[in-house]
Amino acid sequence: MRRLPLHLFVVPVLAALLVGFDVFGPFDTRLYDQWMRLHRRAPPAEIVLVHIDGESERRYPDFIDRRPLALARLVDRLNQVKPRVIGVYLHFDPRDPRDREGLPVLREALLRHGNTVGKAFAADGAHMSAEEGFRHAEKLGFRTLGVQLVATGEDNVIRGGYYATPLAGALRPAFPLALLQQAGDLVPAPRRAALRAAFESPAAASEPYVFAFLGGARSIRTINAGDVLDGEVHPDAWRDRIVLIGQSEQDTEINLTTPVSGWAQDLTIDEFEAQAAAALLTGHVFRVPPAWASALGIGGLLFGFALLMHRLPQRRAALLGGLGLLAVVGLHLLAYRLLFWVPAVALFIALPVQLHAELHR
């Protein structure tokens, strides 16, 4: 058997290393970003986002000066129309006199609803700060608590695990998952089983994932908090819905990102949370294989392709190269439809290089 030439191995090995070390990650992200923008999905009707924005603060100054009191009135207003779940993204500082004054009233309003989900943060693995957030949220009367494990990198970008995170020896639900856990039969039975499995998985905190976002900013149904307090929203907008309450402005110092970073750039943080809950509700979550498993698959595919081209006459090798590029496009589109993450950029770069090397030889 003849020894195989060295150039058959060079491109597959280089491509595998680049995929394994995620060098092409940002480019794969942009590829999926553009594809998602062309294929927006309709948001589920069960998610309603209440914005506390500048207009709400102008009409109801309590949102500025005594925030818990205004929020208590908002929750009581929602109690009249009975949404299935009320999720509160806001957090309060009990040391702030403006917050401390209204917290008991807010607690009574939350307890009256009986199905509320709050949120706590664990920054850079600081479990103590998260525990403090949990204790505070429990005192406020939230029935279920979600946690967002976040870490801020050198690029000042906040990155976090959203399914669940280990805290004090147990898995706590992330905020979108906590909302859906309380949603009952609003979530179809197969999705409930999948969410339960995700929550119970010991690896849930570290598993990579990508939400297939349903659209850009405002794609989730949004309602102004002032309109809610004025009673201008028809009761049918709330019945058997998941309601998420949050501030509408984006944090100017932190860029929210996911593996599909460009898709989230025009979202405020509470819009992102609503999108995440909607994606989990509908099952639009990409399956992302481990980086080195992808690297092995890409390397093996490229080596098989190079070997096949090497054994064919030049004209047939050129034809195979063209068919290979078309196959990669088809693979990428199929993977998107099946919600499976494929590092396609490495293939788009490597296949023409392999073809050029083979024809040059």
Side-chain angles (χ1 to χ4, degrees), residues 32-283:
Y32 277 92
D33 281 349
Q34 295 306 315
W35 190 241
M36 285 181 183
R37 290 178 192 278
L38 293 173
H39 295 270
R40 295 190 174 191
R41 295 178 169 93
E46 291 83 0
I47 306 287
V48 179
L49 175 61
V50 175
H51 269 165
I52 301 173
D53 55 10
E55 175 63 18
S56 303
E57 292 172 349
R58 186 186 64 79
R59 286 152 65 182
Y60 291 89
D62 280 355
F63 278 124
I64 304 172
D65 299 326
R66 295 188 302 278
R67 292 161 286 181
L69 284 181
L71 186 60
R73 281 163 50 186
L74 187 59
V75 172
D76 270 338
R77 185 74 187 176
L78 294 173
N79 277 332
Q80 297 173 21
V81 290
K82 290 296 178 192
R84 190 72 63 90
V85 185
I86 297 176
V88 182
Y89 175 80
L90 305 177
H91 62 280
F92 304 102
D93 184 357
R95 296 164 295 187
D96 188 329
R98 297 173 304 171
D99 288 350
R100 194 165 58 240
E101 180 183 351
L103 287 177
V105 182
L106 175 59
R107 181 177 186 276
E108 291 173 10
L110 292 171
L111 290 174
R112 275 195 291 274
H113 184 74
N115 196 8
T116 55
V117 179
K119 181 167 185 175
F121 288 87
D124 293 316
H127 287 184
M128 291 301 293
S129 63
E131 286 288 5
E132 182 182 352
F134 273 112
R135 283 196 300 270
H136 180 48
E138 286 170 340
K139 288 178 184 176
L140 270 181
F142 290 108
R143 178 176 170 183
T144 304
L145 298 173
V147 67
Q148 179 180 332
L149 177 65
V150 298
T152 306
E154 293 179 359
D155 53 358
N156 200 35
V157 171
I158 192 168
R159 307 179 189 279
Y162 284 84
Y163 276 154
T165 184
L167 188 66
L171 280 175
R172 302 273 195 169
F175 189 56
L177 184 54
L179 288 172
L180 297 180
Q181 282 182 319
Q182 297 299 315
D185 56 6
L186 273 182
V187 182
R191 286 301 307 147
R192 284 204 301 273
L195 291 167
R196 194 177 305 114
F199 174 59
E200 293 172 354
S201 167
S206 58
E207 283 179 352
Y209 64 90
V210 178
F211 292 131
F213 283 105
L214 308 174
R218 312 286 181 187
S219 64
I220 297 294
R221 181 170 187 177
T222 58
I223 297 175
N224 182 286
D227 292 341
V228 178
L229 291 174
D230 289 343
E232 296 178 8
V233 184
H234 194 277
D236 287 345
W238 308 108
R239 208 172 306 282
D240 288 335
R241 298 288 188 265
I242 298 170
V243 175
L244 174 61
I245 302 171
Q247 298 279 31
S248 62
E249 66 269 13
Q250 179 60 283
D251 192 316
T252 56
E253 296 180 359
I254 298 175
N255 297 317
L256 182 68
T257 190
T258 68
V260 187
S261 55
W263 193 238
Q265 281 175 358
D266 56 350
L267 299 176
T268 61
I269 294 178
D270 51 315
E271 285 169 339
F272 175 82
E273 297 287 4
Q275 290 274 19
L280 286 169
L281 175 65
T282 55

